[in-house]
Amino acid sequence: MLGDSSWLLFFFFFKQKTAYEMLRSLVGSEMCIRDRFHSLRSAANPRRRVLLTQRGGPAARLFSADTTERASLPTQAEVVVIGGGVIGASTAYHLTALGCKDVVLIEQAVASAGTTWHAAGLLGQLRATRQETELSVYGHELYADLESKTGQATGYKQCGSITVAQTPERLTELRRREGRAKAFGIAAEILGPGECGDLYPYLKTSDLQGGLWLPGDGTATSSDLCAALMKAAKMGGTTVHERTRVTDVGTKDGAVSHVQTDRGTIACSKVINCAGQWARNIGQMAGVSVPLHSAEHFYVVTKPLEPKVPQDLPVLRDLDSFLYYREWSGGLLMGGFEPKCKPCFQDGVPSDFEFALLEEDWEHFQVLLEPAL
């Protein structure tokens, strides 16, 4: 797929070594291989996630501060948000922005410790419906302005995205997406293979039919974005309590009455479940079924290339090969969604699974590795 000389060297190693040894050769000894998880909405929609990145990355540095001194837990609140990832932080921020000042956010570990920390940070605008697209566009506008509001970097950049087509049928689908994008007010353009290569110089174009260019798409650093949203929520009046585990959600007459934690009970009239891959467990406490299960998903990050990959390199998606790419610290991040799902945590997600890794599975990753070369 990628035609850069560094990836040709990557292919040379592949012919002589195992996939694991090849990646070690490309990435270097200062890098480590990390498996990642991704919460799925249903087993019928199989998608996953994994990673190879530097030790002690941004998230590890950002959330390494001592949190032993904690404020006392309130005994009541109007709204309790459960989960301190990007969804919980965003929910708390928007509640306070809308005038709700009595918001308490509870996180069992520390902010961004779960699914958020593992995210690749791709930010698309175009969705299946107009309402979803408008929501995504609003997210881009928010992220672009969040750093100036909070002083916390988000890593947001508007670099655009290219989705390539290897078959005429895929190109027909991309033309339909172009039409939908324009109907929703999103800038979009169908490109020829050469134009795709001009925007993405690492791309081999000889087997392409064309591609869809969405200049408004972008990327962000998920842990930094979560930190900025959390800071904005605190500025609006949200109180945040980390290292606080929910043990029960009480109900009375069919409505929420309180949240029980390992540090005390909070009486409340509203609870918002933003617990990520633990959301199913939280739902069960209140008698609500949440159809969600964690599954593995794989991606790799190379060491910086020479010359370094430009920071404004567009996101690249190859739906025919299940792959996506983005710039990452002067190198490339490559991941994908395998056609066969591999669920994890069959006996339940460990409550202490924070900034943690899964066992490597190179056989499962092979379906992505081969087309990437």
Side-chain angles (χ1 to χ4, degrees):
M1 174 84 198
L2 296 185
D4 174 76
S5 59
S6 298
W7 289 87
L8 294 178
L9 177 62
F10 196 3
F11 179 75
F12 174 78
F13 280 119
F14 177 68
K15 289 294 188 179
Q16 303 179 58
K17 301 182 179 184
T18 66
Y20 179 87
E21 291 171 328
M22 174 191 64
L23 280 172
R24 283 290 192 188
S25 300
L26 174 68
V27 178
S29 59
E30 75 275 19
M31 310 294 280
C32 66
I33 299 168
R34 298 183 175 184
D35 290 79
R36 303 304 195 185
F37 63 86
H38 182 57
S39 297
L40 303 183
R41 291 197 175 275
S42 70
N45 184 23
R47 301 193 171 184
R48 296 138 314 281
R49 218 161 249 176
V50 193
L51 160 68
L52 181 140
T53 186
Q54 286 183 311
R55 301 181 187 274
R61 293 194 298 270
L62 183 60
F63 300 109
S64 61
D66 181 28
T67 58
T68 54
E69 293 186 9
R70 297 183 292 180
S72 59
L73 199 69
T75 57
Q76 63 180 30
E78 181 182 357
V79 182
V80 173
V81 177
I82 301 175
V86 69
I87 300 299
S90 179
T91 298
Y93 161 69
H94 284 91
L95 284 172
T96 58
L98 290 170
C100 183
K101 301 304 181 183
D102 190 12
V103 179
V104 174
L105 185 146
I106 296 174
E107 164 57 43
Q108 67 176 352
V110 294
S112 186
T115 310
T116 295
W117 183 59
H118 301 76
L122 308 185
L123 300 173
Q125 291 185 325
L126 182 62
R127 295 291 184 265
T129 68
R130 181 181 297 275
Q131 292 77 14
E132 290 176 309
T133 299
E134 290 175 351
L135 187 61
S136 295
V137 171
Y138 163 73
H140 280 255
E141 294 170 349
L142 172 64
Y143 303 154
D145 196 37
L146 201 55
E147 184 173 349
S148 63
K149 289 182 177 180
T150 64
Q152 167 65 49
T154 63
Y156 174 78
K157 55 186 177 184
Q158 190 179 61
C159 55
S161 75
I162 307 170
T163 302
V164 297
Q166 295 187 36
T167 66
E169 294 78 11
R170 181 68 70 187
L171 186 60
T172 298
E173 180 197 351
L174 295 184
R175 291 190 186 279
R176 291 171 180 158
R177 291 193 185 197
E178 179 195 26
R180 187 168 75 248
K182 291 179 177 179
F184 293 166
I186 302 296
E189 181 183 359
I190 291 292
L191 304 178
E195 294 173 302
C196 292
D198 291 340
L199 286 171
Y200 205 97
Y202 305 95
L203 181 64
K204 185 182 79 171
T205 60
S206 59
D207 59 348
L208 297 182
Q209 299 291 318
L212 175 63
W213 167 238
L214 297 172
D217 284 358
T219 60
T221 305
S222 56
S223 56
D224 289 345
L225 182 58
C226 180
L229 286 166
M230 194 71 79
K231 186 172 182 179
K234 291 179 179 179
M235 291 168 62
T238 297
T239 59
V240 178
H241 295 269
E242 298 178 322
R243 298 296 177 192
T244 304
R245 180 163 293 126
V246 174
T247 57
D248 190 29
V249 177
T251 61
K252 183 179 180 180
D253 299 328
V256 169
S257 60
H258 66 273
V259 173
Q260 182 72 42
T261 78
D262 57 358
R263 296 179 55 210
T265 301
I266 306 175
C268 59
S269 58
K270 302 176 186 68
V271 171
I272 303 179
N273 184 356
C274 302
Q277 63 174 350
W278 291 273
R280 183 172 181 269
N281 298 353
I282 299 298
Q284 287 176 332
M285 295 177 185
V288 176
S289 177
V290 179
L292 181 148
H293 189 88
S294 295
E296 296 183 22
H297 167 64
F298 302 85
Y299 61 82
V300 298
V301 177
T302 72
K303 64 182 180 181
L305 304 182
E306 290 296 339
K308 289 185 177 181
V309 175
Q311 291 188 355
D312 60 352
L313 184 76
V315 171
L316 177 67
R317 294 181 177 90
D318 179 1
L319 304 180
D320 296 305
S321 298
F322 316 106
L323 296 171
Y324 61 81
Y325 301 81
R326 65 160 291 186
E327 183 275 337
W328 192 277
S329 299
L332 288 172
L333 180 153
M334 181 275 284
F337 295 98
E338 307 88 323
K340 290 187 177 181
C341 172
K342 183 186 177 185
C344 57
F345 303 131
Q346 300 286 17
D347 298 323
V349 184
S351 59
D352 59 352
F353 193 82
E354 54 187 80
F355 302 124
L357 312 175
L358 302 175
E359 293 296 324
E360 300 161 6
D361 187 346
W362 290 101
E363 182 178 354
H364 187 61
F365 187 62
Q366 196 72 19
V367 68
L368 300 178
L369 187 60
E370 290 182 359
L373 302 176

